[in-house]
Structures are given as C-alpha cells and as structure tokens.
Amino acid sequence: MTSIRTVLAATLVAVAALAAAAQEAVDLSSPRATFTTFLTAMNAVRAGDARTLRNAEACLDLSGYAPAIRDEAGERLARSLKTYLDKIERIDLESVPTEVDGDVWTWRSTPEGDVSVVRGDGGRWRFARWTLEALPALLSSVRDRGFVEGLTGGGRTRRHAVAQWLRDRSPEALRKNVFLLEGWQWAGLLLIAIVGVVADRVTRYTLGVWMRRLLRRAVRGLDRETADLNRPIGILVMAAIWSTLLRALDLPLDALNALVVATRFIMAAAGVWAAYRLVDLLAAYFGGLAARTDSTLDDLLVPLLRRALKLVVVAFGVLFVAQNLDINVSSLLAGLGIGGIAFALAAKDTVENLFGSVTVLTDRPFKIGDWIKIGDLEGTVEELGLRSTRIRTFYNSLITVPNSSLVRASVDNLGERRYRRIKSMIAIQYDTPPDRIEAFCEGIRELVRRHPYTRKDYYMVYLNEFADSSLNVLLYAFVETPDWATELRERHRLFVDIVRLAARLGVEFAFPTQTLHVASMPGAPATVPGRADDAEDAVVLGRREAAAVASEASDDDRQPPVSFGEPDGMATRGGAPR
C-alpha cells in the first residue's frame, strides 16, 4: 500500500514538473519573443504539428472570453491573426524590439485597428485584447489581398470547415447578414433550440418511467420526488445540447461567448438543482425504509442528514456556478477567510444550534413522536433540524425551539414513561356502613388486579380522608400504556367499572351538601345515656369504646406490611367484624 502511494505521488510530481516546464518553454519576455513564439508555433501548426497550437494561444490575451470557449477562441484568433500578418508582410523579427519603455508596443496601426502587444502579469507580453477584437475588421480590409510570397496564413479550424459546408449548402437568401448574423445561422439557432426542447421532453419522460419502475419495488409514493428530479435533469441535457451544437455555426466570438456563458450558467444551475432534488428523493426513499423499522433513531437521522446535504449542495453549487461564470473563486474564498471572524460572530447562534442538534442526536433525550415538556412548553416532537426542533402542542400549534436551548434546558420526556399514574379521590356518603366501605375498597383493588393495562405490583385503595361532605377513598394506581390516548381509554374503563361496583354494593357517591342545625331553647342540659358529664369521664369513655371496637375487629394488634403479591394482605382487618 505504501509503495502504491509513493508511485502515485511521484507521478503527480512528474506531471506537475512537465506542466511547469511546458509553461516556461513559452517565451513571452519581450515583444520580439512573443512575435517569435507565435510565428514559430503557427508555422509548426501549418506543417502538421497541432501540439504547438497551445503555444500560439499563450501569446494571446484571452481574458475577455469565457473559460468554456477559450480553447476555441484561441484557435480561431490565432489562425485569423496569422492569416492577417501573412497578407501584410514578412515580419522582420530583428526589427521588433526586445526592450520597450512602457507596457504597450504597436507593430502596425490602421483605421480598422492596431496590432499591438501589451505587458501583463509577470512581465509577459501578449497580443492585446483590442487587437483580437479588431481582427474581423482587419481581415475584411485584406480580404482581396493574397498572401505574401512563401507564406500560407493560419488556415481554418475544423469547426470552421463544418460551418463553411453548411454555408455553401444554404440558399443564397440565407447567406446575407441579418442583424449581426447570417440568415442560415439564425435558422441554425432556431433548429438547435427546438432540438434542445425535444431532448428535454424525451429525457424527462424516459427518466421518469425508468425511475418509477426502479423505486416502486422498494418504496411507494415517490412519484412527486421523481418528477421534481426529472425537470432539472431535462434542462441540463437541453443546455448541454445547446452548448455543443452552437460551436458548429461559426458564430462571431462575441455572440458565441455570450451564448456559451448563458448555456453554461443554465447547465450549472440545473446541475445544482438536480443535486438538490436528488437529496429530497434519497431522503424520501430512506425515510420510507426507516418507517418500516421499529427503531426511531433512523426517523431522526433522515431529516437531519437531508438538511445537512442540502447545505453542502448549495455551498458547492454557488462555487460551481461562480467558476462557470469566470469569477475568481480563490479570491472569493480568500475574502471569506478575511471576514471569517465577523462571520463567526454573526453565526454564533447558528453554530450553537448546530452543536445543539449534534448533542440531541448523540444523547437522544427524546425521539420523533415523544411527548416532552420543556418549562411551560408541552407537546409531541415532530421534527429535529440542524437549527431547531419542531414541537406540536395539544392545541395543534407548531412551536419551534432552538436546539441551543435544549442543551441547557431540563427536558421532561413524558413519552419515555413506562407507567402512567392514576390518582383520584372517590367521594362516598358519610352514612355508608363500615363493612360497605371495606367491601368497596377491596372491590376496587380486584378491578385493578384484573384490568389488562394496570400495574399489578403497586397500587393503593384506602379510605384516606374525612372531607367536608364526604368520605374520600384514595385510588392510586398505574397503567402501562404507550400513549396518552390509550391512557385515557383505560382510565375510562376502570372508572366505569368502579361506578358499576358501587351500584352493585349499594355505595352512594357524595356531593357537596350543607346541614342546618337549630339550637334548642336555654334550659337544663340534656343528659345522654352512656356519656360522661365531665372531661375526665369523656376520656375514660372514649378509651373504653375504642378498646371494644379493636377487640371486636381483630385479635392481632400488629398487621404485616402490605404485599402486592398477596391480595389478602392488602385488605384491612379493622372496622366491622369480618
């Protein structure tokens, strides 16, 4: 493995060295060197060595043309410039200076334009942009002039030969100039546009049928995402066809430059759009697969990864479009580096939210569908994003919570409860006999033991309180349910059975009442048989009657602790004799 890496590294270094050596071989150090390099390279091209064409193109200032057509523009301009020079005179290279005061040297000046070289970056001399732009007018001025004896010009490009073949077979009426272009070129543009539109429609239909058949076997319901992906791919194919066929029309370089830049922009935008929609399609596909699994982690990951991939696609898409528009991406990135501190300060909350989402994802305090409570906020988790979490409340509103706050907040995950508590006070009338109270409490315990969802190892049913207008029996139990709806249903079933039990035992439920007592007229105090007339006798009487009740109820003064595994141990042995 190490040897392979060494070989690859050595190969890359060798290729870079060869490229640097080839670049240094082009001598552009002075006007004479530029003329010498250009003429030597073009003569070699005419002799059949097409490899030297790149050296001739290096002598031209092509910065005014889009990167997509620089090769073609360089070849056409180099051949046109050589043709013009060979029709003027045989250049005496000794007359071309090697040292010039200033950054511009003009070889020939005419009303149609100047043939000049300018000094650029690194002290390199190249033929000026205005010379290249004036070449059509310069060639037109020497159209009827022959080549200087012994010179052959620059020849024609391969695409120029195709355009000439189309021009020769076009009607005479289509060879005339009509608003910057010849008639046959306008017809060719219309035909290319039609071909591109047809290719767009065919691509959409074919791709749609193929993808529906492919994805239908795995996950259903992806027709919308497939249609959204087909549109940008069809536009991408259409723009690619336009960009390819435009070069066969031999359009003027300015027109070709504008059209190719436009088609390249459409291709770049359509490519980014297609990648964006592909993320949606993949998210829908994997979301469908995640819905089939019991785990909820994948349900949380799919939307999170979808948003992350979309951010990556948008970021790289902007750089890709900028590069196709010949925007200096390096300087753009350098500018972002300089403004990185300000950007980091401005994006402080965004970064906190991003790390919050990572924390939630790793710690997993909740999952999609959990019922959570954060402070005064309570609801069901619907979606976890890179910046925020969306919670659906019980009154059906959607609340967005920044993920940074989840890191510091106390999250009460009610959805993770195994048991849900039932606590209720059952009010019965004060005239209920003690044996009926005992029977009623034991009957409720039996209902708890028999209901399918109730917890059997912990429940309390006892007379708990003497209220103002009722005797309150405490019901404290738990139900094992997955959600709130099931909890409400099981609570309802248990309470209805308690109502039925009360009816069968003759136990009446109490409601708030008031009793009015009317005092008797003043007179001698009435005596009550069996009651003490002073405080001391009352204490003695109370103790005697309590002892009688205790002896009647049970002979055992100490009962064992409650055991939920033994139902008889939960019943009280006090009260009325059993």
Side-chain angles (χ1 to χ4, degrees):
M1 187 67 180
T2 305
S3 61
I4 295 176
R5 292 179 179 175
T6 304
V7 171
L8 290 176
T11 303
L12 292 176
V13 171
V15 170
L18 289 175
Q23 185 69 18
E24 291 296 331
V26 180
D27 186 6
L28 305 176
S29 59
S30 66
R32 179 185 296 180
T34 299
F35 270 84
T36 302
T37 301
F38 177 76
L39 294 175
T40 302
M42 291 306 299
N43 289 331
V45 171
R46 290 295 290 171
D49 188 4
R51 293 175 299 177
T52 60
L53 183 60
R54 294 291 177 263
N55 293 342
E57 293 176 3
C59 300
L60 309 178
D61 183 5
L62 300 175
S63 60
Y65 298 95
I69 68 166
R70 279 181 185 169
D71 289 341
E72 180 179 352
E75 181 180 0
R76 288 172 61 175
L77 292 171
R79 292 181 184 274
S80 297
L81 180 59
K82 181 64 165 58
T83 298
Y84 175 74
L85 295 177
D86 287 355
K87 286 189 176 185
I88 297 300
E89 64 180 49
R90 185 184 297 273
I91 300 177
D92 182 11
L93 294 176
E94 295 297 329
S95 64
V96 181
T98 57
E99 298 291 338
V100 177
D101 294 334
D103 294 331
V104 179
W105 181 78
T106 301
W107 173 74
R108 183 181 177 88
S109 180
T110 66
E112 291 79 14
D114 300 337
V115 178
S116 304
V117 289
V118 297
R119 182 170 15 216
D121 297 336
R124 294 173 175 270
W125 290 83
R126 290 183 174 89
F127 286 95
R129 288 179 57 181
W130 60 79
T131 297
L132 303 180
E133 293 170 357
L135 276 177
L138 294 172
L139 286 174
S140 179
S141 65
V142 297
R143 180 177 300 172
D144 299 331
R145 184 184 300 185
F147 291 108
V148 175
E149 184 178 356
L151 302 180
T152 57
R156 292 181 176 180
T157 66
R158 188 175 302 174
R159 294 188 181 93
H160 185 78
V162 174
Q164 187 63 41
W165 183 86
L166 293 173
R167 182 183 289 108
D168 293 341
R169 284 157 179 76
S170 299
E172 185 65 28
L174 294 180
R175 299 179 190 176
K176 299 178 180 179
N177 284 338
V178 181
F179 190 64
L180 302 178
L181 301 179
E182 297 180 10
W184 70 274
Q185 291 175 325
W186 284 113
L189 289 176
L190 179 60
L191 181 61
I192 290 174
I194 294 174
V195 171
V197 172
V198 172
D200 173 26
R201 300 300 178 181
V202 172
T203 301
R204 290 190 193 185
Y205 176 77
T206 305
L207 186 63
V209 172
W210 178 75
M211 292 191 66
R212 278 193 294 269
R213 290 179 180 177
L214 179 65
L215 298 175
R216 189 177 298 161
R217 303 173 185 174
V219 179
R220 296 184 179 272
L222 297 180
D223 292 340
R224 179 178 178 182
E225 286 76 10
T226 301
D228 290 342
L229 178 62
N230 294 340
R231 294 190 187 96
I233 293 181
I235 294 175
L236 180 63
V237 172
M238 177 179 64
I241 290 177
W242 286 350
S243 178
T244 303
L245 297 182
L246 281 173
R247 304 170 189 272
L249 297 179
D250 194 26
L251 299 172
L253 285 178
D254 292 339
L256 180 63
N257 186 48
L259 291 175
V260 169
V261 168
T263 54
R264 276 307 188 96
F265 175 77
I266 294 174
M267 289 175 60
V272 175
W273 185 13
Y276 195 84
R277 291 306 182 190
L278 180 61
V279 172
D280 285 333
L281 178 62
L282 293 177
Y285 173 75
F286 287 108
L289 296 180
R292 300 179 182 179
T293 63
D294 296 332
S295 174
T296 57
L297 179 61
D298 48 9
D299 298 329
L300 196 67
L301 282 175
V302 169
L304 191 63
L305 291 177
R306 177 171 64 89
R307 283 179 169 78
L309 288 177
K310 282 188 173 183
L311 289 177
V312 173
V313 167
V314 171
F316 281 96
V318 170
L319 296 178
F320 182 64
V321 172
Q323 186 175 8
N324 277 272
L325 294 179
D326 199 20
I327 298 175
N328 193 341
V329 179
S330 300
S331 61
L332 178 63
L333 294 178
L336 291 178
I338 295 174
I341 298 177
F343 179 79
L345 292 176
K348 175 177 175 294
D349 294 338
T350 302
V351 174
E352 287 183 354
N353 291 326
L354 178 60
F355 279 100
S357 64
V358 174
T359 302
V360 171
L361 189 61
T362 53
D363 290 348
R364 286 188 289 175
F366 53 80
K367 57 183 180 295
I368 302 296
D370 279 353
W371 172 20
I372 66 173
K373 187 175 182 181
I374 306 174
D376 296 334
L377 173 64
E378 186 175 356
T380 303
V381 179
E382 278 200 354
E383 187 176 359
L384 173 64
L386 291 176
R387 193 197 70 84
S388 60
T389 298
R390 291 177 174 83
I391 299 175
R392 181 74 64 179
T393 64
F394 292 109
Y395 43 90
N396 205 34
S397 66
L398 189 64
I399 297 180
T400 302
V401 181
N403 289 334
S404 58
S405 63
L406 298 178
V407 179
R408 298 182 296 271
S410 298
V411 180
D412 185 3
N413 192 340
L414 302 176
E416 288 294 328
R417 295 179 299 171
R418 182 180 177 186
Y419 300 105
R420 299 172 186 245
R421 187 183 66 171
I422 297 177
K423 181 180 180 182
S424 179
M425 289 291 184
I426 304 174
I428 59 177
Q429 293 183 359
Y430 262 103
D431 58 358
T432 305
D435 58 338
R436 296 294 177 89
I437 297 176
E438 292 284 357
F440 184 59
C441 291
E442 182 60 27
I444 295 176
R445 297 189 195 103
E446 186 64 23
L447 290 177
V448 172
R449 289 190 287 265
R450 291 177 178 271
H451 266 251
Y453 282 88
T454 52
R455 182 179 177 180
K456 307 301 189 294
D457 59 343
Y458 189 80
Y459 53 93
M460 302 292 182
V461 183
Y462 295 106
L463 179 62
N464 185 68
E465 186 180 19
F466 292 94
D468 293 339
S469 56
S470 63
L471 299 173
N472 289 343
V473 175
L474 170 65
L475 168 61
Y476 193 85
F478 295 86
V479 290
E480 186 176 4
T481 59
D483 51 50
W484 190 41
T486 307
E487 174 192 352
L488 293 179
R489 186 194 67 191
E490 295 306 312
R491 182 191 292 260
H492 165 85
R493 292 178 57 193
L494 179 61
F495 284 2
V496 169
D497 285 349
I498 292 175
V499 172
R500 293 193 181 110
L501 175 66
R504 295 178 68 89
L505 293 177
V507 174
E508 298 290 338
F509 294 106
F511 51 89
T513 57
Q514 290 184 345
T515 303
L516 180 64
H517 294 271
V518 180
S520 60
M521 293 297 293
T527 60
V528 179
R531 296 289 186 269
D533 293 337
D534 52 24
E536 183 177 357
D537 293 339
V539 171
V540 173
L541 178 61
R543 290 178 178 175
R544 183 178 66 247
E545 296 300 324
V549 170
S551 62
E552 292 175 357
S554 174
D555 295 335
D556 189 1
D557 293 334
R558 181 178 178 85
Q559 297 185 9
V562 172
S563 175
F564 295 100
E566 298 179 2
D568 292 340
M570 294 190 64
T572 58
R573 289 193 287 268
R578 298 175 60 88

